[in-house]
mmCIF file of all heavy atoms in Angstrom:
data_model
loop_
_atom_site.group_PDB
_atom_site.id
_atom_site.type_symbol
_atom_site.label_atom_id
_atom_site.label_comp_id
_atom_site.label_asym_id
_atom_site.label_seq_id
_atom_site.Cartn_x
_atom_site.Cartn_y
_atom_site.Cartn_z
ATOM 1 N N MET A 1 -70.126 -153.919 -51.343
ATOM 2 C CA MET A 1 -70.593 -152.694 -51.966
ATOM 3 C C MET A 1 -72.043 -152.856 -52.381
ATOM 4 O O MET A 1 -72.453 -153.861 -52.909
ATOM 5 C CB MET A 1 -69.679 -152.405 -53.220
ATOM 6 C CG MET A 1 -70.134 -151.167 -53.957
ATOM 7 S SD MET A 1 -69.029 -150.762 -55.267
ATOM 8 C CE MET A 1 -68.219 -149.404 -54.500
ATOM 9 N N VAL A 2 -72.823 -151.829 -52.089
ATOM 10 C CA VAL A 2 -74.264 -151.874 -52.406
ATOM 11 C C VAL A 2 -74.502 -151.181 -53.733
ATOM 12 O O VAL A 2 -73.897 -150.144 -54.044
ATOM 13 C CB VAL A 2 -75.011 -151.158 -51.253
ATOM 14 C CG1 VAL A 2 -76.500 -151.093 -51.590
ATOM 15 C CG2 VAL A 2 -74.793 -151.787 -49.928
ATOM 16 N N HIS A 3 -75.438 -151.743 -54.480
ATOM 17 C CA HIS A 3 -75.779 -151.152 -55.788
ATOM 18 C C HIS A 3 -77.267 -150.744 -55.741
ATOM 19 O O HIS A 3 -78.095 -151.524 -55.324
ATOM 20 C CB HIS A 3 -75.560 -152.194 -56.905
ATOM 21 C CG HIS A 3 -76.001 -151.710 -58.233
ATOM 22 N ND1 HIS A 3 -75.330 -150.719 -58.956
ATOM 23 C CD2 HIS A 3 -77.125 -151.987 -58.957
ATOM 24 C CE1 HIS A 3 -76.004 -150.461 -60.069
ATOM 25 N NE2 HIS A 3 -77.084 -151.225 -60.093
ATOM 26 N N TYR A 4 -77.534 -149.568 -56.173
ATOM 27 C CA TYR A 4 -78.895 -149.067 -56.229
ATOM 28 C C TYR A 4 -79.294 -148.734 -57.660
ATOM 29 O O TYR A 4 -78.456 -148.161 -58.390
ATOM 30 C CB TYR A 4 -79.063 -147.764 -55.390
ATOM 31 C CG TYR A 4 -78.806 -147.933 -53.934
ATOM 32 C CD1 TYR A 4 -77.595 -147.637 -53.393
ATOM 33 C CD2 TYR A 4 -79.775 -148.461 -53.099
ATOM 34 C CE1 TYR A 4 -77.311 -147.791 -52.052
ATOM 35 C CE2 TYR A 4 -79.532 -148.640 -51.737
ATOM 36 C CZ TYR A 4 -78.301 -148.295 -51.250
ATOM 37 O OH TYR A 4 -78.071 -148.471 -49.896
ATOM 38 N N ASP A 5 -80.462 -149.082 -58.026
ATOM 39 C CA ASP A 5 -80.972 -148.689 -59.330
ATOM 40 C C ASP A 5 -81.614 -147.320 -59.214
ATOM 41 O O ASP A 5 -82.506 -147.140 -58.398
ATOM 42 C CB ASP A 5 -82.039 -149.663 -59.837
ATOM 43 C CG ASP A 5 -81.469 -150.985 -60.318
ATOM 44 O OD1 ASP A 5 -80.307 -150.949 -60.768
ATOM 45 O OD2 ASP A 5 -82.181 -151.992 -60.227
ATOM 46 N N ILE A 6 -81.061 -146.368 -59.920
ATOM 47 C CA ILE A 6 -81.511 -144.988 -59.843
ATOM 48 C C ILE A 6 -82.304 -144.684 -61.088
ATOM 49 O O ILE A 6 -81.810 -144.757 -62.196
ATOM 50 C CB ILE A 6 -80.330 -143.985 -59.719
ATOM 51 C CG1 ILE A 6 -79.543 -144.276 -58.475
ATOM 52 C CG2 ILE A 6 -80.849 -142.556 -59.745
ATOM 53 C CD1 ILE A 6 -78.288 -143.491 -58.363
ATOM 54 N N THR A 7 -83.616 -144.403 -60.884
ATOM 55 C CA THR A 7 -84.477 -144.107 -62.026
ATOM 56 C C THR A 7 -84.133 -142.670 -62.482
ATOM 57 O O THR A 7 -83.554 -141.892 -61.740
ATOM 58 C CB THR A 7 -85.955 -144.187 -61.685
ATOM 59 O OG1 THR A 7 -86.261 -143.176 -60.707
ATOM 60 C CG2 THR A 7 -86.316 -145.544 -61.164
ATOM 61 N N GLU A 8 -84.535 -142.359 -63.688
ATOM 62 C CA GLU A 8 -84.270 -141.012 -64.245
ATOM 63 C C GLU A 8 -84.927 -139.942 -63.395
ATOM 64 O O GLU A 8 -84.384 -138.872 -63.193
ATOM 65 C CB GLU A 8 -84.799 -140.927 -65.682
ATOM 66 C CG GLU A 8 -84.312 -139.719 -66.426
ATOM 67 C CD GLU A 8 -82.819 -139.611 -66.527
ATOM 68 O OE1 GLU A 8 -82.114 -140.611 -66.641
ATOM 69 O OE2 GLU A 8 -82.295 -138.448 -66.503
ATOM 70 N N ASN A 9 -86.090 -140.249 -62.805
ATOM 71 C CA ASN A 9 -86.821 -139.262 -61.963
ATOM 72 C C ASN A 9 -86.054 -138.979 -60.673
ATOM 73 O O ASN A 9 -86.168 -137.907 -60.080
ATOM 74 C CB ASN A 9 -88.186 -139.742 -61.642
ATOM 75 C CG ASN A 9 -89.162 -139.776 -62.811
ATOM 76 O OD1 ASN A 9 -88.877 -139.108 -63.793
ATOM 77 N ND2 ASN A 9 -90.171 -140.582 -62.721
ATOM 78 N N ASP A 10 -85.276 -139.944 -60.209
ATOM 79 C CA ASP A 10 -84.544 -139.832 -58.934
ATOM 80 C C ASP A 10 -83.145 -139.191 -59.143
ATOM 81 O O ASP A 10 -82.487 -138.802 -58.182
ATOM 82 C CB ASP A 10 -84.331 -141.177 -58.231
ATOM 83 C CG ASP A 10 -85.640 -141.758 -57.739
ATOM 84 O OD1 ASP A 10 -86.577 -140.964 -57.495
ATOM 85 O OD2 ASP A 10 -85.705 -143.004 -57.551
ATOM 86 N N ARG A 11 -82.699 -139.066 -60.345
ATOM 87 C CA ARG A 11 -81.354 -138.582 -60.640
ATOM 88 C C ARG A 11 -81.047 -137.235 -60.014
ATOM 89 O O ARG A 11 -79.994 -137.080 -59.365
ATOM 90 C CB ARG A 11 -81.081 -138.580 -62.147
ATOM 91 C CG ARG A 11 -79.650 -138.215 -62.460
ATOM 92 C CD ARG A 11 -79.256 -138.588 -63.869
ATOM 93 N NE ARG A 11 -79.472 -140.009 -64.205
ATOM 94 C CZ ARG A 11 -78.665 -141.006 -63.789
ATOM 95 N NH1 ARG A 11 -77.619 -140.747 -63.056
ATOM 96 N NH2 ARG A 11 -78.900 -142.268 -64.171
ATOM 97 N N PRO A 12 -81.922 -136.225 -60.118
ATOM 98 C CA PRO A 12 -81.619 -134.920 -59.485
ATOM 99 C C PRO A 12 -81.410 -135.029 -57.961
ATOM 100 O O PRO A 12 -80.554 -134.373 -57.382
ATOM 101 C CB PRO A 12 -82.821 -134.056 -59.822
ATOM 102 C CG PRO A 12 -83.420 -134.654 -61.034
ATOM 103 C CD PRO A 12 -83.158 -136.148 -60.897
ATOM 104 N N LEU A 13 -82.162 -135.890 -57.318
ATOM 105 C CA LEU A 13 -82.019 -136.072 -55.875
ATOM 106 C C LEU A 13 -80.615 -136.621 -55.538
ATOM 107 O O LEU A 13 -79.944 -136.139 -54.656
ATOM 108 C CB LEU A 13 -83.115 -136.992 -55.342
ATOM 109 C CG LEU A 13 -82.984 -137.389 -53.879
ATOM 110 C CD1 LEU A 13 -83.155 -136.166 -53.015
ATOM 111 C CD2 LEU A 13 -84.017 -138.404 -53.551
ATOM 112 N N TYR A 14 -80.190 -137.647 -56.254
ATOM 113 C CA TYR A 14 -78.900 -138.214 -55.982
ATOM 114 C C TYR A 14 -77.768 -137.285 -56.382
ATOM 115 O O TYR A 14 -76.730 -137.255 -55.726
ATOM 116 C CB TYR A 14 -78.778 -139.554 -56.718
ATOM 117 C CG TYR A 14 -79.524 -140.654 -55.981
ATOM 118 C CD1 TYR A 14 -80.845 -140.969 -56.344
ATOM 119 C CD2 TYR A 14 -78.953 -141.313 -54.919
ATOM 120 C CE1 TYR A 14 -81.518 -141.961 -55.649
ATOM 121 C CE2 TYR A 14 -79.626 -142.321 -54.214
ATOM 122 C CZ TYR A 14 -80.960 -142.592 -54.594
ATOM 123 O OH TYR A 14 -81.605 -143.558 -53.915
ATOM 124 N N GLU A 15 -77.968 -136.509 -57.444
ATOM 125 C CA GLU A 15 -76.899 -135.510 -57.819
ATOM 126 C C GLU A 15 -76.779 -134.476 -56.747
ATOM 127 O O GLU A 15 -75.682 -134.069 -56.396
ATOM 128 C CB GLU A 15 -77.248 -134.872 -59.168
ATOM 129 C CG GLU A 15 -77.077 -135.861 -60.324
ATOM 130 C CD GLU A 15 -77.524 -135.296 -61.648
ATOM 131 O OE1 GLU A 15 -77.890 -134.108 -61.722
ATOM 132 O OE2 GLU A 15 -77.499 -136.082 -62.650
ATOM 133 N N ALA A 16 -77.920 -133.977 -56.206
ATOM 134 C CA ALA A 16 -77.901 -132.997 -55.132
ATOM 135 C C ALA A 16 -77.240 -133.592 -53.890
ATOM 136 O O ALA A 16 -76.478 -132.929 -53.207
ATOM 137 C CB ALA A 16 -79.312 -132.515 -54.840
ATOM 138 N N TRP A 17 -77.527 -134.854 -53.590
ATOM 139 C CA TRP A 17 -76.928 -135.541 -52.424
ATOM 140 C C TRP A 17 -75.428 -135.609 -52.608
ATOM 141 O O TRP A 17 -74.643 -135.365 -51.663
ATOM 142 C CB TRP A 17 -77.540 -136.914 -52.296
ATOM 143 C CG TRP A 17 -77.012 -137.661 -51.093
ATOM 144 C CD1 TRP A 17 -75.938 -138.484 -51.017
ATOM 145 C CD2 TRP A 17 -77.559 -137.618 -49.793
ATOM 146 N NE1 TRP A 17 -75.712 -138.938 -49.777
ATOM 147 C CE2 TRP A 17 -76.730 -138.477 -48.974
ATOM 148 C CE3 TRP A 17 -78.658 -136.980 -49.239
ATOM 149 C CZ2 TRP A 17 -77.009 -138.663 -47.653
ATOM 150 C CZ3 TRP A 17 -78.904 -137.223 -47.877
ATOM 151 C CH2 TRP A 17 -78.113 -138.031 -47.113
ATOM 152 N N ASP A 18 -74.934 -135.992 -53.785
ATOM 153 C CA ASP A 18 -73.504 -136.101 -54.034
ATOM 154 C C ASP A 18 -72.824 -134.698 -53.828
ATOM 155 O O ASP A 18 -71.780 -134.612 -53.235
ATOM 156 C CB ASP A 18 -73.230 -136.566 -55.474
ATOM 157 C CG ASP A 18 -73.509 -138.036 -55.648
ATOM 158 O OD1 ASP A 18 -73.569 -138.758 -54.635
ATOM 159 O OD2 ASP A 18 -73.632 -138.477 -56.794
ATOM 160 N N LEU A 19 -73.467 -133.668 -54.362
ATOM 161 C CA LEU A 19 -72.916 -132.308 -54.181
ATOM 162 C C LEU A 19 -72.886 -131.929 -52.698
ATOM 163 O O LEU A 19 -71.926 -131.323 -52.238
ATOM 164 C CB LEU A 19 -73.729 -131.287 -54.985
ATOM 165 C CG LEU A 19 -73.491 -131.328 -56.487
ATOM 166 C CD1 LEU A 19 -74.563 -130.469 -57.181
ATOM 167 C CD2 LEU A 19 -72.100 -130.835 -56.806
ATOM 168 N N ALA A 20 -73.926 -132.287 -51.992
ATOM 169 C CA ALA A 20 -74.002 -131.909 -50.586
ATOM 170 C C ALA A 20 -72.906 -132.629 -49.786
ATOM 171 O O ALA A 20 -72.337 -132.000 -48.884
ATOM 172 C CB ALA A 20 -75.374 -132.334 -49.985
ATOM 173 N N THR A 21 -72.553 -133.858 -50.132
ATOM 174 C CA THR A 21 -71.479 -134.529 -49.417
ATOM 175 C C THR A 21 -70.147 -133.896 -49.750
ATOM 176 O O THR A 21 -69.242 -133.888 -48.900
ATOM 177 C CB THR A 21 -71.452 -136.034 -49.709
ATOM 178 O OG1 THR A 21 -71.373 -136.272 -51.085
ATOM 179 C CG2 THR A 21 -72.728 -136.670 -49.159
ATOM 180 N N GLU A 22 -69.979 -133.388 -50.953
ATOM 181 C CA GLU A 22 -68.753 -132.685 -51.314
ATOM 182 C C GLU A 22 -68.645 -131.351 -50.543
ATOM 183 O O GLU A 22 -67.581 -131.003 -50.038
ATOM 184 C CB GLU A 22 -68.694 -132.406 -52.810
ATOM 185 C CG GLU A 22 -68.471 -133.623 -53.661
ATOM 186 C CD GLU A 22 -68.422 -133.272 -55.118
ATOM 187 O OE1 GLU A 22 -67.714 -132.292 -55.480
ATOM 188 O OE2 GLU A 22 -69.040 -133.971 -55.912
ATOM 189 N N VAL A 23 -69.714 -130.589 -50.512
ATOM 190 C CA VAL A 23 -69.733 -129.270 -49.895
ATOM 191 C C VAL A 23 -69.544 -129.377 -48.395
ATOM 192 O O VAL A 23 -68.960 -128.483 -47.760
ATOM 193 C CB VAL A 23 -71.042 -128.570 -50.248
ATOM 194 C CG1 VAL A 23 -71.288 -127.317 -49.417
ATOM 195 C CG2 VAL A 23 -71.082 -128.205 -51.721
ATOM 196 N N GLU A 24 -69.957 -130.472 -47.818
ATOM 197 C CA GLU A 24 -69.911 -130.699 -46.401
ATOM 198 C C GLU A 24 -68.505 -130.492 -45.793
ATOM 199 O O GLU A 24 -68.341 -130.021 -44.680
ATOM 200 C CB GLU A 24 -70.417 -132.107 -46.088
ATOM 201 C CG GLU A 24 -70.542 -132.479 -44.663
ATOM 202 C CD GLU A 24 -71.132 -133.871 -44.523
ATOM 203 O OE1 GLU A 24 -70.711 -134.803 -45.242
ATOM 204 O OE2 GLU A 24 -72.032 -133.999 -43.660
ATOM 205 N N VAL A 25 -67.488 -130.783 -46.575
ATOM 206 C CA VAL A 25 -66.110 -130.696 -46.016
ATOM 207 C C VAL A 25 -65.350 -129.487 -46.565
ATOM 208 O O VAL A 25 -64.163 -129.317 -46.290
ATOM 209 C CB VAL A 25 -65.302 -131.985 -46.438
ATOM 210 C CG1 VAL A 25 -65.917 -133.206 -45.741
ATOM 211 C CG2 VAL A 25 -65.206 -132.171 -47.933
ATOM 212 N N MET A 26 -66.023 -128.610 -47.288
ATOM 213 C CA MET A 26 -65.412 -127.411 -47.874
ATOM 214 C C MET A 26 -65.574 -126.212 -46.972
ATOM 215 O O MET A 26 -66.544 -126.121 -46.198
ATOM 216 C CB MET A 26 -65.999 -127.062 -49.197
ATOM 217 C CG MET A 26 -65.815 -128.068 -50.313
ATOM 218 S SD MET A 26 -66.692 -127.502 -51.772
ATOM 219 C CE MET A 26 -65.666 -128.122 -53.044
ATOM 220 N N SER A 27 -64.695 -125.245 -47.090
ATOM 221 C CA SER A 27 -64.861 -123.966 -46.411
ATOM 222 C C SER A 27 -65.787 -123.151 -47.247
ATOM 223 O O SER A 27 -66.081 -123.439 -48.460
ATOM 224 C CB SER A 27 -63.531 -123.242 -46.331
ATOM 225 O OG SER A 27 -63.057 -122.796 -47.560
ATOM 226 N N LEU A 28 -66.320 -122.036 -46.703
ATOM 227 C CA LEU A 28 -67.201 -121.189 -47.441
ATOM 228 C C LEU A 28 -66.580 -120.610 -48.706
ATOM 229 O O LEU A 28 -67.213 -120.502 -49.738
ATOM 230 C CB LEU A 28 -67.689 -120.031 -46.539
ATOM 231 C CG LEU A 28 -69.024 -120.188 -45.877
ATOM 232 C CD1 LEU A 28 -69.339 -118.972 -44.989
ATOM 233 C CD2 LEU A 28 -70.103 -120.401 -46.853
ATOM 234 N N VAL A 29 -65.321 -120.240 -48.575
ATOM 235 C CA VAL A 29 -64.622 -119.681 -49.747
ATOM 236 C C VAL A 29 -64.528 -120.750 -50.878
ATOM 237 O O VAL A 29 -64.762 -120.458 -52.042
ATOM 238 C CB VAL A 29 -63.197 -119.238 -49.351
ATOM 239 C CG1 VAL A 29 -62.361 -118.881 -50.530
ATOM 240 C CG2 VAL A 29 -63.275 -118.062 -48.345
ATOM 241 N N GLU A 30 -64.209 -121.969 -50.468
ATOM 242 C CA GLU A 30 -64.159 -123.058 -51.473
ATOM 243 C C GLU A 30 -65.523 -123.326 -52.144
ATOM 244 O O GLU A 30 -65.574 -123.547 -53.328
ATOM 245 C CB GLU A 30 -63.646 -124.355 -50.833
ATOM 246 C CG GLU A 30 -62.203 -124.331 -50.349
ATOM 247 C CD GLU A 30 -61.800 -125.531 -49.583
ATOM 248 O OE1 GLU A 30 -62.641 -126.000 -48.742
ATOM 249 O OE2 GLU A 30 -60.678 -126.004 -49.723
ATOM 250 N N ILE A 31 -66.549 -123.276 -51.316
ATOM 251 C CA ILE A 31 -67.922 -123.480 -51.847
ATOM 252 C C ILE A 31 -68.250 -122.405 -52.857
ATOM 253 O O ILE A 31 -68.803 -122.712 -53.951
ATOM 254 C CB ILE A 31 -68.926 -123.535 -50.734
ATOM 255 C CG1 ILE A 31 -68.722 -124.750 -49.821
ATOM 256 C CG2 ILE A 31 -70.368 -123.507 -51.265
ATOM 257 C CD1 ILE A 31 -69.508 -124.737 -48.535
ATOM 258 N N GLU A 32 -68.007 -121.189 -52.532
ATOM 259 C CA GLU A 32 -68.333 -120.080 -53.415
ATOM 260 C C GLU A 32 -67.490 -120.147 -54.757
ATOM 261 O O GLU A 32 -68.041 -119.985 -55.819
ATOM 262 C CB GLU A 32 -68.052 -118.740 -52.751
ATOM 263 C CG GLU A 32 -69.044 -118.415 -51.706
ATOM 264 C CD GLU A 32 -68.735 -117.093 -50.954
ATOM 265 O OE1 GLU A 32 -67.797 -116.420 -51.267
ATOM 266 O OE2 GLU A 32 -69.516 -116.799 -49.989
ATOM 267 N N LYS A 33 -66.228 -120.498 -54.634
ATOM 268 C CA LYS A 33 -65.367 -120.631 -55.820
ATOM 269 C C LYS A 33 -65.825 -121.820 -56.694
ATOM 270 O O LYS A 33 -65.719 -121.703 -57.950
ATOM 271 C CB LYS A 33 -63.939 -120.820 -55.439
ATOM 272 C CG LYS A 33 -63.249 -119.580 -54.977
ATOM 273 C CD LYS A 33 -61.764 -119.861 -54.644
ATOM 274 C CE LYS A 33 -61.092 -118.610 -54.166
ATOM 275 N NZ LYS A 33 -59.698 -118.862 -53.795
ATOM 276 N N SER A 34 -66.262 -122.867 -56.110
ATOM 277 C CA SER A 34 -66.612 -124.096 -56.892
ATOM 278 C C SER A 34 -67.940 -123.961 -57.626
ATOM 279 O O SER A 34 -68.179 -124.616 -58.586
ATOM 280 C CB SER A 34 -66.656 -125.291 -55.966
ATOM 281 O OG SER A 34 -67.806 -125.242 -55.093
ATOM 282 N N GLY A 35 -68.872 -123.138 -57.072
ATOM 283 C CA GLY A 35 -70.194 -123.009 -57.674
ATOM 284 C C GLY A 35 -71.086 -124.200 -57.338
ATOM 285 O O GLY A 35 -72.208 -124.288 -57.857
ATOM 286 N N LYS A 36 -70.661 -125.071 -56.432
ATOM 287 C CA LYS A 36 -71.413 -126.255 -56.079
ATOM 288 C C LYS A 36 -72.740 -125.930 -55.340
ATOM 289 O O LYS A 36 -73.737 -126.605 -55.509
ATOM 290 C CB LYS A 36 -70.573 -127.231 -55.285
ATOM 291 C CG LYS A 36 -69.502 -127.853 -56.108
ATOM 292 C CD LYS A 36 -68.707 -128.853 -55.332
ATOM 293 C CE LYS A 36 -67.488 -129.336 -56.124
ATOM 294 N NZ LYS A 36 -67.812 -130.459 -57.003
ATOM 295 N N LEU A 37 -72.741 -124.860 -54.600
ATOM 296 C CA LEU A 37 -73.980 -124.479 -53.904
ATOM 297 C C LEU A 37 -75.030 -124.024 -54.921
ATOM 298 O O LEU A 37 -76.180 -124.470 -54.826
ATOM 299 C CB LEU A 37 -73.736 -123.353 -52.871
ATOM 300 C CG LEU A 37 -74.929 -122.938 -52.092
ATOM 301 C CD1 LEU A 37 -75.490 -124.087 -51.266
ATOM 302 C CD2 LEU A 37 -74.554 -121.795 -51.149
ATOM 303 N N ASP A 38 -74.619 -123.268 -55.905
ATOM 304 C CA ASP A 38 -75.537 -122.877 -56.928
ATOM 305 C C ASP A 38 -76.117 -124.080 -57.727
ATOM 306 O O ASP A 38 -77.284 -124.135 -58.035
ATOM 307 C CB ASP A 38 -74.883 -121.910 -57.949
ATOM 308 C CG ASP A 38 -74.519 -120.535 -57.304
ATOM 309 O OD1 ASP A 38 -75.177 -120.155 -56.326
ATOM 310 O OD2 ASP A 38 -73.536 -119.954 -57.765
ATOM 311 N N GLU A 39 -75.228 -125.047 -57.969
ATOM 312 C CA GLU A 39 -75.663 -126.263 -58.614
ATOM 313 C C GLU A 39 -76.637 -127.065 -57.778
ATOM 314 O O GLU A 39 -77.656 -127.533 -58.290
ATOM 315 C CB GLU A 39 -74.398 -127.134 -58.961
ATOM 316 C CG GLU A 39 -74.712 -128.419 -59.682
ATOM 317 C CD GLU A 39 -75.202 -128.237 -61.082
ATOM 318 O OE1 GLU A 39 -75.090 -127.118 -61.610
ATOM 319 O OE2 GLU A 39 -75.658 -129.178 -61.697
ATOM 320 N N MET A 40 -76.398 -127.153 -56.454
ATOM 321 C CA MET A 40 -77.354 -127.841 -55.578
ATOM 322 C C MET A 40 -78.695 -127.148 -55.586
ATOM 323 O O MET A 40 -79.749 -127.813 -55.607
ATOM 324 C CB MET A 40 -76.822 -127.878 -54.154
ATOM 325 C CG MET A 40 -75.911 -129.017 -53.904
ATOM 326 S SD MET A 40 -75.562 -129.359 -52.172
ATOM 327 C CE MET A 40 -75.488 -127.804 -51.380
ATOM 328 N N ILE A 41 -78.720 -125.830 -55.571
ATOM 329 C CA ILE A 41 -79.934 -125.092 -55.552
ATOM 330 C C ILE A 41 -80.679 -125.331 -56.868
ATOM 331 O O ILE A 41 -81.884 -125.550 -56.886
ATOM 332 C CB ILE A 41 -79.679 -123.602 -55.335
ATOM 333 C CG1 ILE A 41 -79.197 -123.354 -53.921
ATOM 334 C CG2 ILE A 41 -80.919 -122.743 -55.632
ATOM 335 C CD1 ILE A 41 -78.633 -121.971 -53.647
ATOM 336 N N ARG A 42 -79.976 -125.324 -57.977
ATOM 337 C CA ARG A 42 -80.607 -125.565 -59.268
ATOM 338 C C ARG A 42 -81.235 -126.948 -59.315
ATOM 339 O O ARG A 42 -82.356 -127.132 -59.729
ATOM 340 C CB ARG A 42 -79.562 -125.389 -60.415
ATOM 341 C CG ARG A 42 -80.189 -125.565 -61.798
ATOM 342 C CD ARG A 42 -79.134 -125.589 -62.882
ATOM 343 N NE ARG A 42 -78.277 -126.744 -62.837
ATOM 344 C CZ ARG A 42 -78.640 -128.015 -63.183
ATOM 345 N NH1 ARG A 42 -79.835 -128.232 -63.614
ATOM 346 N NH2 ARG A 42 -77.793 -129.014 -63.100
ATOM 347 N N LEU A 43 -80.494 -127.930 -58.845
ATOM 348 C CA LEU A 43 -81.005 -129.329 -58.819
ATOM 349 C C LEU A 43 -82.220 -129.446 -57.907
ATOM 350 O O LEU A 43 -83.152 -130.154 -58.198
ATOM 351 C CB LEU A 43 -79.882 -130.319 -58.404
ATOM 352 C CG LEU A 43 -78.849 -130.572 -59.435
ATOM 353 C CD1 LEU A 43 -77.707 -131.333 -58.806
ATOM 354 C CD2 LEU A 43 -79.402 -131.344 -60.586
ATOM 355 N N SER A 44 -82.153 -128.779 -56.723
ATOM 356 C CA SER A 44 -83.240 -128.917 -55.753
ATOM 357 C C SER A 44 -84.526 -128.348 -56.288
ATOM 358 O O SER A 44 -85.633 -128.776 -55.890
ATOM 359 C CB SER A 44 -82.839 -128.279 -54.415
ATOM 360 O OG SER A 44 -82.772 -126.865 -54.555
ATOM 361 N N LYS A 45 -84.453 -127.358 -57.146
ATOM 362 C CA LYS A 45 -85.696 -126.797 -57.707
ATOM 363 C C LYS A 45 -86.428 -127.781 -58.612
ATOM 364 O O LYS A 45 -87.611 -127.672 -58.805
ATOM 365 C CB LYS A 45 -85.355 -125.499 -58.514
ATOM 366 C CG LYS A 45 -84.960 -124.385 -57.584
ATOM 367 C CD LYS A 45 -84.676 -123.133 -58.372
ATOM 368 C CE LYS A 45 -84.303 -121.989 -57.385
ATOM 369 N NZ LYS A 45 -83.997 -120.721 -58.084
ATOM 370 N N GLY A 46 -85.672 -128.752 -59.112
ATOM 371 C CA GLY A 46 -86.297 -129.797 -59.955
ATOM 372 C C GLY A 46 -86.878 -130.958 -59.167
ATOM 373 O O GLY A 46 -87.389 -131.917 -59.725
ATOM 374 N N LEU A 47 -86.820 -130.905 -57.843
ATOM 375 C CA LEU A 47 -87.291 -132.005 -57.003
ATOM 376 C C LEU A 47 -88.740 -131.880 -56.601
ATOM 377 O O LEU A 47 -89.251 -132.751 -55.862
ATOM 378 C CB LEU A 47 -86.439 -132.118 -55.746
ATOM 379 C CG LEU A 47 -84.979 -132.417 -55.977
ATOM 380 C CD1 LEU A 47 -84.226 -132.435 -54.641
ATOM 381 C CD2 LEU A 47 -84.791 -133.764 -56.670
ATOM 382 N N ASP A 48 -89.426 -130.882 -57.044
ATOM 383 C CA ASP A 48 -90.826 -130.691 -56.638
ATOM 384 C C ASP A 48 -91.663 -131.918 -56.807
ATOM 385 O O ASP A 48 -91.827 -132.532 -57.759
ATOM 386 C CB ASP A 48 -91.449 -129.536 -57.425
ATOM 387 C CG ASP A 48 -90.742 -128.208 -57.154
ATOM 388 O OD1 ASP A 48 -89.705 -128.242 -56.508
ATOM 389 O OD2 ASP A 48 -91.186 -127.189 -57.661
#
């Protein structure tokens, strides 16, 4: 198992990545119901 040190500045990127991997296997209906796409968009805006 690999361990990575995630700095506070990198946290939004990794959170968005985690959400993206969850959404990857969902149907559109499931994505809309879960709100995960909205969460990914919110997190991505903080990646500037």
Side-chain angles (χ1 to χ4, degrees):
M1 177 175 256
V2 177
H3 175 74
Y4 296 98
D5 287 331
I6 300 173
T7 65
E8 193 60 34
N9 292 338
D10 292 338
R11 186 162 303 284
L13 175 63
Y14 284 94
E15 289 174 6
W17 183 271
D18 287 342
L19 286 168
T21 57
E22 288 180 46
V23 168
E24 185 175 45
V25 296
M26 295 177 148
S27 70
L28 263 180
V29 172
E30 292 171 322
I31 292 169
E32 289 176 3
K33 284 182 181 178
S34 71
K36 292 183 186 273
L37 183 60
D38 293 332
E39 180 69 12
M40 274 194 324
I41 291 168
R42 184 186 66 74
L43 287 169
S44 70
K45 289 181 178 179
L47 298 176
D48 298 6

